[in-house]
């Protein structure tokens, strides 16, 4: 852009501040960070009445978010290992992400549709692993899956893993 790095840092902030801004805007898909509870898909999930609806909304949303976020997330992960100030940001984002997965799992549990024996922590951990930037990158970027295929596969997989079979 023809701008000195120091000028960018002076206008926006140091690497962690700039990286956080990039990550937050990639998550929101806008030029501003949007708090999780105000994101459209979070409100849609909370309004949905069944676990399968919630899962479908989330699978589509996380795939769309990862189309923007995954490359940045992977760069931050790798940079965090080398740069202490980015390591703190990585830890903060990883912790927040895990907390958000727990909220999603609790929202599923409230429907009463989870398979017997599953607890919220297990559901959160599985969702956390399968909605990662790494997983997205492996299937979409490396294996060539269209994002819509990944979203449908995630929704189907999570429904099969988490939801009790319908009563016959």
């Amino acid at each position: 852009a023809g701008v000195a790095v120091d000028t960018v840092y002076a206008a926006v902030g140091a690497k962690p501040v700039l990286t956080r801004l990039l990550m937050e805007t990639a998550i929101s898909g806008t030029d501003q960070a949007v708090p999780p509870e105000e994101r459209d898909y979070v409100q849609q999930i909370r309004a949905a009445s069944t676990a399968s609806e919630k899962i479908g909304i989330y699978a589509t949303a996380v795939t769309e978010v990862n189309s923007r976020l995954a490359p940045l997330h992977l760069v931050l992960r790798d940079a965090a290992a080398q740069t202490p100030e980015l390591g703190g940001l990585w830890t903060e984002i990883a912790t927040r992400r895990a907390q958000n997965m727990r909220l999603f799992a609790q929202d599923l549990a409230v429907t009463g549709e989870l398979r017997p024996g599953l607890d919220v922590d297990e559901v959160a951990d599985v969702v956390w692993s399968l909605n990662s930037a790494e997983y997205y990158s492996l299937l979409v970027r490396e294996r060539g899956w269209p994002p819509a295929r990944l979203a449908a596969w995630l929704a189907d997989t999570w429904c099969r893993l988490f939801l009790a079979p319908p009563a016959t």
Side-chain angles (χ1 to χ4, degrees):
V3 177
V5 172
D6 289 340
T7 303
V8 173
Y9 290 159
V12 179
K15 282 181 194 177
V17 174
L18 181 59
T19 304
R20 179 189 316 278
L21 179 63
L22 289 170
M23 301 281 289
E24 293 294 341
T25 56
I27 292 168
S28 72
T30 67
D31 60 356
Q32 302 234 82
V34 176
E37 63 277 0
E38 293 177 22
R39 294 179 190 145
D40 289 343
Y41 71 89
V42 172
Q43 293 175 0
Q44 291 170 4
I45 290 167
R46 294 211 171 120
S49 59
T50 68
S52 62
E53 288 175 293
K54 293 172 184 293
I55 287 170
I57 293 164
Y58 185 66
T60 298
V62 76
T63 302
E64 290 172 5
V65 168
N66 267 326
S67 71
R68 301 181 299 269
L69 181 65
L72 295 169
H73 199 270
L74 297 175
V75 167
L76 175 59
R77 179 199 64 195
D78 295 345
Q82 307 289 326
T83 310
E85 65 267 22
L86 292 176
L89 177 61
W90 171 257
T91 300
E92 176 192 324
I93 288 172
T95 300
R96 186 179 75 191
R97 192 171 153 262
Q99 290 167 340
N100 288 340
M101 294 312 95
R102 193 163 202 298
L103 292 173
F104 176 64
Q106 287 171 334
D107 204 38
L108 293 177
V110 167
T111 68
E113 298 176 66
L114 291 183
R115 281 189 308 120
L118 278 181
D119 65 30
V120 167
D121 290 331
E122 184 176 1
V123 172
D125 287 347
V126 171
V127 172
W128 174 86
S129 70
L130 292 177
N131 79 2
S132 68
E134 293 86 355
Y135 201 78
Y136 175 90
S137 295
L138 285 171
L139 290 177
V140 173
R141 299 193 186 280
E142 292 187 31
R143 301 304 306 154
W145 284 30
R149 178 181 177 193
L150 177 60
W153 187 87
L154 286 173
D156 181 60
T157 299
W158 289 335
C159 284
R160 290 173 188 246
L161 286 173
F162 303 144
L163 304 185
T168 55

